[in-house]
């Protein structure tokens, strides 16, 4: 039960952070979002830093699960158009619904990690099937340093997601195509 309660609280903390920002992330706000009695979050996470660390760990676990599953269930892209379509679908998930909330929370945590290196270590991008699919696609096209190009491509895609979260709008397939083409050169 304790692990389930911790997960519930971390999920509620992600929601609070996405909806209210870093200043709104309080133990009391998480209690309300989780629909639990006042003091519950404090009993599990004594400090704000402990709560934030739990939130970041949960966020990374959710993202990794999603990326691993996406990479495993999606066939390896055979063309630039297929890769662009797969990235576009992923970007759309990051800009809407639960994906949007997690994206907002992730970026807030990334900014916070400037002052808390322990959070930065948790947020470091990890290997997963989706990342491997991009790297394999680039390597199959003879890209000299597929690993570095994968990092650059995915960082640029991440930048587009951030830009649209902040400024509104969507990411077009043409923008993604331009990034894939540049990474493939």
């Amino acid at each position: 039960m304790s692990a389930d309660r911790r997960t519930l609280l971390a999920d509620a903390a992600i929601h609070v952070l996405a909806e209210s920002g870093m200043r709104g992330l309080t133990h009391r706000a998480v209690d309300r979002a989780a629909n639990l009695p006042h003091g519950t979050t404090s009993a599990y996470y004594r400090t704000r830093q402990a709560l934030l660390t739990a939130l970041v760990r949960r966020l990374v676990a959710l993202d990794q699960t999603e990326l691993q599953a996406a990479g495993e269930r999606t066939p390896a892209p055979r063309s630039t158009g297929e890769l662009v379509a797969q990235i576009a679908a992923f970007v759309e998930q990051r800009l809407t619904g639960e994906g949007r909330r997690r994206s907002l929370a992730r970026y807030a945590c990334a900014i916070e990690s400037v002052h808390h290196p322990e959070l930065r270590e948790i947020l470091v991008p990890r290997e997963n099937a989706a990342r491997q699919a991009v790297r394999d696609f680039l390597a199959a096209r003879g890209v000299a340093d597929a690993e570095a190009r994968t990092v650059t491509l995915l960082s640029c895609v991440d930048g587009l997601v951030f830009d649209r979260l902040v400024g509104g709008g969507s990411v077009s397939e043409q923008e993604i195509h331009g990034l894939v083409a540049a990474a493939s050169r």
Side-chain angles (χ1 to χ4, degrees):
M1 178 73 174
S2 179
D4 290 340
R5 180 67 54 97
R6 288 182 183 281
T7 300
L8 174 68
L9 291 169
D11 287 344
I14 290 168
H15 177 79
V16 169
L17 180 57
E19 298 299 319
S20 303
M22 200 55 79
R23 288 183 144 196
L25 181 64
T26 65
H27 287 81
R28 188 170 284 192
V30 174
D31 288 340
R32 279 193 302 273
N35 200 25
L36 292 170
H38 172 69
T40 303
T41 303
S42 292
Y44 284 87
Y45 303 110
R46 298 293 305 150
T47 66
R48 177 177 166 73
Q49 191 60 36
L51 177 60
L52 192 55
T53 299
L55 180 161
V56 171
R57 287 186 196 287
R58 177 67 174 152
L59 193 57
V60 168
L62 289 168
D63 286 349
Q64 281 298 105
T65 298
E66 178 183 72
L67 290 166
Q68 186 66 31
E72 290 172 355
R73 78 172 170 269
T74 307
R78 295 175 308 232
S79 68
T80 298
E82 286 182 8
L83 180 61
V84 167
Q86 290 172 3
I87 292 173
F90 171 76
V91 166
E92 181 65 21
Q93 289 176 342
R94 294 293 178 149
L95 291 174
T96 58
E98 183 59 32
R100 177 180 173 78
R101 280 187 284 284
R102 287 202 340 247
S103 293
L104 289 167
R106 184 180 317 96
Y107 292 125
C109 291
I111 299 287
E112 191 70 14
S113 77
V114 170
H115 306 291
H116 300 281
E118 67 279 5
L119 296 179
R120 192 173 327 122
E121 290 174 24
I122 300 168
L123 287 166
V124 168
R126 289 168 170 68
E127 190 57 38
N128 56 63
R131 184 184 199 90
Q132 182 68 45
V134 172
R135 185 174 38 253
D136 290 349
F137 176 85
L138 294 174
R141 268 128 198 93
V143 172
D145 189 355
E147 175 61 28
R149 295 283 180 100
T150 297
V151 169
T152 300
L153 172 59
L154 296 179
S155 294
C156 290
V157 169
D158 196 42
L160 287 173
V161 171
F162 178 83
D163 181 70
R164 294 331 188 277
L165 282 172
V166 172
S170 60
V171 176
S172 71
E173 284 199 10
Q174 292 82 8
E175 290 173 292
I176 297 167
H177 188 276
L179 295 175
V180 171
S184 297
R185 285 195 277 276

